[in-house]
Amino acid sequence: MPFKNSDWLPSYEELEVQEIEMSTPVLRAGAHHFGKYCDNQSKEFMLCYQETKDPRKCLQEGKQVTKCGLDFFRKVKQHCAAEFTEYWQCLDHSSFDMAYKNCRKPQAKFDECIKTNLGQERPEAGYFAKVRVHKTNRPKPERIVPLPERVPGPEDIDRTKPAPESVKTGSRLFWF
Amino acid sequence: MASNFRQDMPPPGGYSGIEWARRAPRRGFGGYATFGIYAGISVVGLTLHYFSLQNRKKDELEMREGRIAIHPLILAERQRMFLKQLRKNRDEENELMKSVPGWETGTLWGEPVYHNLVDRFPWVNPEEYFAHASPKDMYDRIYEKRHH
């Protein structure tokens, strides 16, 4: 256990949020629209984790992502429950890897419903796979490493000065 | 008897030639035709292959994008679970070792696991993470024996 009692670990209360208790086909069916709906929160969270490499420091961002996901799936349930259910059941039952390619018709119906109710188009192919630049107001995390004072190295020696008298072999100025 | 002797001779005009060569009908295509058919089939096949590959790449891209889109959600939940378990482990160690004098949680008799001056998030050994689970569970988790 690499954590001492003095090390900070978040308490249970800080870690307790309402989770999205849904299985793979549902999450997979809603993935693209979720990704676009919660684009900002997702990018913020991933950037935070990428910068800090520390799950403890990205708890708030992660909670925002989960909150946004809950919000999205609630809206889907409210407006497009029938279409969404048809779509994820199609994904679940059509192939072993829940491929999207087998369910174009329910997908089109679901997209239509999302467009009319949430006003959001399905992101174009390649939207999530390409690099998405994110602008944030969160300050860049600093890592101040306590290092000892720098000792003088060979680059501090002035080599252009002529050799002192005591050096019998002459100047060691490197000129070529 | 001698007057009746008559030499047996070849028929007038001689024997016909012996048919020693195999006279099979020429079947199949000639050289140019063979190469032409090969090239034609290859072009058609490669073209079809190209378009099917484009389609497959598109489908795979969509699958991958679905995973990328949902990853922050999964990761956030997973990190919370991970931190919760770390907290549980530390509380368990405190409870377990409270009767041992001189034991400090997270250290081996005062020596910490990592030299960690800037409070980086350390690597948690799976053996330590699953230390309070049964050995069977630990084995299953570490060597990915469970479907998940």
Side-chain angles (χ1 to χ4, degrees):
Chain A
M1 188 71 204
F3 288 96
K4 299 190 283 284
N5 279 330
S6 57
D7 289 335
W8 172 55
L9 276 179
S11 64
Y12 294 121
E13 291 78 36
E14 283 174 274
L15 294 166
E16 204 57 55
V17 288
Q18 191 182 0
E19 303 287 1
I20 296 177
E21 293 173 348
M22 289 194 296
S23 57
T24 314
V26 183
L27 291 176
R28 176 159 288 185
H32 290 78
H33 281 298
F34 160 78
K36 199 167 180 189
Y37 190 82
C38 303
D39 204 10
N40 204 38
Q41 286 91 335
S42 300
K43 286 194 287 195
E44 181 77 31
F45 172 61
M46 293 311 283
L47 179 70
C48 173
Y49 186 54
Q50 201 68 27
E51 278 179 347
T52 59
K53 305 260 191 298
D54 193 340
R56 296 172 296 183
K57 288 172 186 159
C58 300
L59 274 181
Q60 288 314 312
E61 284 81 0
K63 281 179 189 174
Q64 289 301 317
V65 173
T66 304
K67 198 177 148 200
C68 176
L70 269 176
D71 184 33
F72 171 73
F73 282 110
R74 272 185 191 135
K75 273 190 182 168
V76 168
K77 189 179 180 182
Q78 189 188 342
H79 297 295
C80 302
E83 288 88 347
F84 188 57
T85 310
E86 192 192 344
Y87 184 32
W88 72 254
Q89 285 187 348
C90 173
L91 284 183
D92 200 6
H93 294 140
S94 59
S95 59
F96 74 98
D97 59 349
M98 302 180 202
Y100 293 112
K101 63 180 174 188
N102 300 318
C103 297
R104 295 297 180 206
K105 279 180 187 171
Q107 188 186 53
K109 273 202 248 173
F110 176 55
D111 282 355
E112 192 58 38
C113 178
I114 289 285
K115 198 181 169 188
T116 48
N117 290 304
L118 270 71
Q120 172 176 299
E121 296 244 9
R122 171 168 285 262
E124 72 275 14
Y127 178 72
F128 295 109
K130 71 186 175 192
V131 175
R132 289 174 289 160
V133 180
H134 179 57
K135 278 205 169 57
T136 177
N137 295 324
R138 195 167 40 79
K140 193 178 174 185
E142 280 183 65
R143 180 170 283 169
I144 300 155
V145 186
L147 290 176
E149 283 292 308
R150 186 172 171 277
V151 292
E155 63 270 14
D156 295 328
I157 300 167
D158 187 8
R159 288 176 192 280
T160 54
K161 271 196 303 189
E165 288 293 319
S166 57
V167 177
K168 298 280 194 316
T169 53
S171 168
R172 294 189 185 179
L173 172 66
F174 184 79
W175 60 276
F176 178 66
Chain B
M1 189 167 173
S3 61
N4 288 339
F5 178 79
R6 188 161 156 266
Q7 177 67 37
D8 207 4
M9 293 299 283
Y15 289 111
S16 59
I18 297 170
E19 287 185 14
W20 55 272
R22 180 167 169 266
R23 294 211 294 185
R26 284 183 67 118
R27 288 187 297 170
F29 303 104
Y32 288 115
T34 309
F35 278 108
I37 290 165
Y38 166 69
I41 290 177
S42 297
V43 166
V44 171
L46 285 173
T47 313
L48 290 178
H49 175 63
Y50 173 77
F51 284 112
S52 81
L53 202 67
Q54 295 290 316
N55 255 339
R56 218 177 72 194
K57 277 185 180 172
K58 217 176 68 196
D59 291 338
E60 282 174 2
L61 176 69
E62 197 180 6
M63 295 291 281
R64 208 157 60 237
E65 279 189 321
R67 289 193 197 101
I68 292 171
I70 214 74
H71 186 232
L73 192 67
I74 307 276
L75 188 68
E77 185 176 339
R78 188 187 295 162
Q79 287 182 353
R80 282 194 292 270
M81 285 168 74
F82 183 67
L83 289 172
K84 227 180 273 184
Q85 184 60 41
L86 288 180
R87 184 99 194 174
K88 265 187 207 170
N89 280 3
R90 195 169 75 178
D91 292 351
E92 182 70 28
E93 188 174 330
N94 278 336
E95 183 64 26
L96 192 68
M97 302 301 280
K98 65 182 175 191
S99 56
V100 181
W103 182 265
E104 201 184 327
T105 305
T107 61
L108 182 67
W109 306 116
E111 189 185 347
V113 182
Y114 295 108
H115 177 72
N116 191 2
L117 291 180
V118 285
D119 199 24
R120 286 190 181 89
F121 193 77
W123 162 253
V124 182
N125 237 8
E127 283 84 359
E128 287 180 318
Y129 185 73
F130 295 109
H132 304 290
S134 74
K136 174 81 170 64
D137 288 339
M138 184 198 282
Y139 172 83
D140 285 357
R141 291 292 181 184
I142 291 177
Y143 295 102
E144 297 274 330
K145 296 292 180 192
R146 292 195 183 170
H147 294 287
H148 55 82

